[in-house]
């Protein structure tokens, strides 16, 4: 069981944002239309075996052609905000130089459509789809890519700065480095292992340069970054498991958060400057650690870590979900590996469902970063195989995704409890939660096998069907709105009407007539 939408809504503080999130490459399709340039992901996804069942992103959800109707579904859902990313290659086909006006126009229309429907836009500048021309030049291994992202931010600021409420510079740089350059599971498909370290710094530098560009343009919207966070838990009391979990925490969490929030890399990582693979000018850190208006946190699950290579980099259930390439990644060659949670419910991805670790994640962030800006959970959600039920008498379809609904309810409840007065992370100002995702989409190397959406997408007809979780989230938002309206009405009722007050003339200095005593 889970808390009711009404009871959960009563715990949501004022001005808390309830939203949903997507990413351009995962939903838009139209990869070769209206002047869009190639992205590195276009090429990677076309390689046989790179994507589960060789699924293609060429059409995806066809959002590029169905945008107005998708915004209508957002309006029906009732969300406060929609987090989306812009396709770098659609706006700037080669990642530098000339701008594609038709690409700019598409997001112009999207922003106008959102605002016309009372939906606040959160725009992510970079969500993994590097233009192919930049990938060909080294991608994030090349320091120049950071400067290209800064220039792209300036283009977006000029075009959309008057309408975007919040800006995310980069989404999950840890995933780009780990999957794209360390293990070769995502574009550009490089398996460089520790030699991938420069991609960490170059992405964070790109973030900082993008912040500079947005500030220089004077955009009124808030600016932040989005990092994924997974609490690392030792598999046992074995001291080597504890050390392994600490190293994994360093590599996946602190390596990306510390530079942004403290202006320096963790001590162990700074020692790597003695190796040419991680050398950089010291002044970069000032650019990377500029003050932010918010910090985006993507939370999905904790990670259990054990010493030794194990049978692969991740449990078999995750490897199967991701395809055969992942099952061999790191096998026999890594000092530690990820273990399963036998007692936990797991998603179709093989991820453990552990909402209590949402509280741990926020507690760790609060303890590590005393000057942490306001936090927004910019992604949270779960992939589960959906069952479609059709009522023949009414010819209607229903998708009872109770497990996804419970996942969202439990995780939102945990985040609110952790940051409430008396909670373990009460020092954090939690400003919102964005569900991943609005609709089922192209989940990178997992193709269309991992549905996260509140909306089911039939990838043959492209029809969208709301799931039970869609209606639950809709109810949560409605109950929150009702509670806010009731609180406002109550506050107004407690304020005396000035018109009902009688003017009373008192002698100067005579306050006893108002009940005051010396």
């Amino acid at each position: 069981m889970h808390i009711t939408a009404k009871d959960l809504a009563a715990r949501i503080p004022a001005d808390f944002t309830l939203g949903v999130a997507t990413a351009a490459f995962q939903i838009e399709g139209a990869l070769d239309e209206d002047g869009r340039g190639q992205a590195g992901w276009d090429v990677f996804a076309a390689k046989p075996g790179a994507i589960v069942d060789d699924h293609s992103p060429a059409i995806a959800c066809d959002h590029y052609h169905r945008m107005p109707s998708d915004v209508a579904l957002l309006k029906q859902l009732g969300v406060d905000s929609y987090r989306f990313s812009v396709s770098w290659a659609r706006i700037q086909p080669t990642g530098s130089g000339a701008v594609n006006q038709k690409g700019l126009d598409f997001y112009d229309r999207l922003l106008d459509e959102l605002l016309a429907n009372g939906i606040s836009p959160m725009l992510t500048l970079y969500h993994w789809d590097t233009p192919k021309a930049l990938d060909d030049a080294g991608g994030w291994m090349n320091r120049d890519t950071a400067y290209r992202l800064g220039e792209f931010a300036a283009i977006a600021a000029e075009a959309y700065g008057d309408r975007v409420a919040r800006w995310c510079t980069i989404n999950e740089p840890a995933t780009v480095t780990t999957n794209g350059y360390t293990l070769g599971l995502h574009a550009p498909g490089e398996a460089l292992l520790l030699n991938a370290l420069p991609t960490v710094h170059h992405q964070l530098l790109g973030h900082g340069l993008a912040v500079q560009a947005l500030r220089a343009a004077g955009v009124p919207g808030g600016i932040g970054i989005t990092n994924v966070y997974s609490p690392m838990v030792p598999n046992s009391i074995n001291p080597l498991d504890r050390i392994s979990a600490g190293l994994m925490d360093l590599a996946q969490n602190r390596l990306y958060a510390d530079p942004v929030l403290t202006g320096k890399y963790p001590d162990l990582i700074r020692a790597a400057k003695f190796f040419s693979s991680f050398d950089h000018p010291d002044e970069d850190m000032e650019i990377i650690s500029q003050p932010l208006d918010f910090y985006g946190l993507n939370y999905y699950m904790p990670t259990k870590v054990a010493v030794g290579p194990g049978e692969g980099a991740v449990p078999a259930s995750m490897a199967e979900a991701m395809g055969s390439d992942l099952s061999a990644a790191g096998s026999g060659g890594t000092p530690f590996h990820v273990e399963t949670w036998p007692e936990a419910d797991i998603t179709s991805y093989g991820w453990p469902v552990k909402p209590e670790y949402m509280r741990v994640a926020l507690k760790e962030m609060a303890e590590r970063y005393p000057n942490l800006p306001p936090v927004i959970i910019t992604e949270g959600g779960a992939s589960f195989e959906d069952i479609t039920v059709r009522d023949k008498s009414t010819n209607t379809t229903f998708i009872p995704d109770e497990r996804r609904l419970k996942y969202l309810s439990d995780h939102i409840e945990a985040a609110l409890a952790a940051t409430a007065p008396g909670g373990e992370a009460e020092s954090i100002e939690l400003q919102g939660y964005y569900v991943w995702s609005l609709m089922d989409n192209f989940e990178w190397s997992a193709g269309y096998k991992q549905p996260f959406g509140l909306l089911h997408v039939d990838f043959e007809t492209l029809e969208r069907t709301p799931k039970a979780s869609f209606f639950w989230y809709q109810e949560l938002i409605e109950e929150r709105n009702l509670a806010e309206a009731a609180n406002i009405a109550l506050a107004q009722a407690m304020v005396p009407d000035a018109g009902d007050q009688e003017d009373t003339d008192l002698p100067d200095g005579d306050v006893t007539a108002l009940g005051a005593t010396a």
Side-chain angles (χ1 to χ4, degrees):
M1 295 296 292
H2 55 82
I3 190 171
T4 67
K6 184 174 183 178
D7 288 343
L8 183 57
R11 302 184 184 185
I12 296 175
D15 300 322
F16 187 89
T17 299
L18 292 171
V20 290
T22 64
F25 190 79
Q26 295 179 263
I27 68 169
E28 285 182 2
L31 300 186
D32 58 357
E33 293 187 37
D34 290 341
R36 178 189 179 274
Q38 270 198 317
W41 261 100
D42 297 18
V43 177
F44 182 80
K47 293 179 181 179
I51 310 299
V52 168
D53 293 342
D54 288 328
H55 288 165
S56 169
I59 298 175
C61 305
D62 199 33
H63 174 71
Y64 188 74
H65 299 112
R66 298 165 184 260
M67 179 269 291
S69 59
D70 285 340
V71 174
L73 287 165
L74 286 166
K75 175 69 171 179
Q76 179 185 342
L77 181 58
V79 289
D80 304 316
S81 178
Y82 175 50
R83 178 180 172 229
F84 64 97
S85 74
V86 290
S87 166
W88 192 346
R90 194 178 296 284
I91 292 175
Q92 196 178 28
T94 63
S96 62
V99 169
N100 174 33
Q101 189 59 47
K102 288 185 177 180
L104 281 173
D105 291 346
F106 172 72
Y107 300 108
D108 251 331
R109 295 193 299 273
L110 171 58
L111 286 165
D112 288 346
E113 196 81 25
L114 291 170
L115 293 172
N117 284 278
I119 300 166
S120 176
M122 174 185 267
L123 187 153
T124 301
L125 287 167
Y126 176 74
H127 198 132
W128 307 358
D129 48 349
T130 313
K132 180 179 178 295
L134 296 185
D135 266 351
D136 290 345
W140 289 108
M141 287 294 290
N142 186 346
R143 181 181 172 93
D144 184 66
T145 302
Y147 291 90
R148 302 290 75 75
L149 182 63
E151 291 178 359
F152 181 59
I155 292 168
E158 182 179 358
Y160 312 128
D162 59 331
R163 287 162 290 170
V164 173
R166 289 178 174 135
W167 298 81
C168 290
T169 54
I170 292 183
N171 180 79
E172 292 189 11
T175 307
V176 175
T177 291
T178 302
N179 287 355
Y181 290 88
T182 303
L183 300 176
L185 304 172
H186 284 180
E190 300 286 348
L192 303 175
L193 301 179
L194 290 178
N195 290 327
L197 269 174
T199 66
V200 177
H201 185 75
H202 295 158
Q203 286 185 88
L204 297 182
L205 178 60
H207 150 74
L209 293 168
V211 172
Q212 282 188 339
L214 294 170
R215 299 280 189 221
V219 298
I223 301 170
I225 189 173
T226 287
N227 272 324
V228 66
Y229 193 97
S230 179
M232 300 298 167
V233 183
N235 184 52
S236 71
I237 61 172
N238 182 342
L240 293 178
D241 282 352
R242 292 184 177 276
I243 292 171
S244 297
L247 290 172
M248 183 78 97
D249 178 50
L250 195 76
Q252 289 296 306
N253 294 326
R254 293 187 55 200
L255 178 58
Y256 302 89
D258 280 20
V260 172
L261 296 172
T262 72
K264 62 183 182 180
Y265 286 100
D267 291 342
L268 187 61
I269 299 299
R270 278 187 284 162
K273 281 194 68 175
F274 289 106
F275 303 94
S276 60
S277 65
F278 199 56
D279 193 22
H280 58 80
D282 290 336
E283 55 266 26
D284 285 1
M285 302 313 295
E286 293 184 11
I287 298 173
I288 290 170
S289 61
Q290 295 166 87
L292 299 176
D293 300 306
F294 68 89
Y295 187 84
L297 195 69
N298 290 356
Y299 173 84
Y300 288 94
M301 60 176 175
T303 301
K304 187 181 287 186
V305 186
V307 69
E311 296 180 358
V314 299
S317 57
M318 292 188 198
E320 182 180 1
M322 292 292 291
S324 59
D325 285 349
L326 184 57
S327 62
S331 180
T334 54
F336 43 78
H337 64 280
V338 175
E339 274 289 349
T340 59
W341 300 72
E343 80 286 2
D345 185 19
I346 62 170
T347 71
S348 295
Y349 244 139
W351 296 351
V353 178
K354 291 291 230 177
E356 63 269 29
Y357 279 92
M358 166 70 86
R359 302 176 71 139
V360 174
L362 290 166
K363 177 177 182 288
E364 290 178 353
M365 289 294 294
E367 290 174 347
R368 288 176 178 176
Y369 309 110
N371 298 317
L372 186 66
V375 171
I376 300 171
I377 307 300
T378 38
E379 285 181 28
S383 64
F384 290 111
E385 183 178 358
D386 292 318
I387 299 172
T388 301
V389 179
R390 182 172 294 277
D391 184 341
K392 291 184 178 180
S393 64
T394 60
N395 196 32
T396 55
T397 297
F398 183 69
I399 302 171
D401 62 332
E402 173 64 25
R403 293 170 73 193
R404 181 176 295 105
L405 187 163
K406 186 177 188 306
Y407 178 100
L408 294 172
S409 176
D410 289 349
H411 282 74
I412 294 172
E413 181 183 11
L416 293 173
T419 54
E424 52 269 72
E426 65 177 344
S427 64
I428 288 180
E429 180 187 344
L430 188 66
Q431 292 188 340
Y433 189 101
Y434 286 73
V435 172
W436 185 269
S437 177
L438 170 64
M439 66 184 82
D440 298 339
N441 56 53
F442 181 81
E443 281 294 336
W444 308 107
S445 55
Y448 300 107
K449 287 287 190 179
Q450 298 298 329
F452 280 82
L454 300 178
L455 293 166
H456 169 76
V457 177
D458 183 321
F459 289 104
E460 292 184 2
T461 66
L462 298 173
E463 180 183 3
R464 281 83 155 129
T465 303
K467 305 176 188 179
S469 56
F470 178 99
F471 295 113
W472 171 83
Y473 202 43
Q474 182 185 62
E475 180 186 4
L476 177 66
I477 296 166
E478 289 174 349
E479 290 290 352
R480 185 278 313 269
N481 293 345
L482 288 171
E484 285 186 353
N487 288 337
I488 292 171
L490 180 62
Q492 290 175 341
M494 295 177 68
V495 176
D497 188 337
D500 292 337
Q501 302 289 324
E502 291 186 4
D503 293 334
T504 305
D505 294 324
L506 299 174
D508 289 344
D510 188 354
V511 295
T512 57
L514 293 178
T517 58

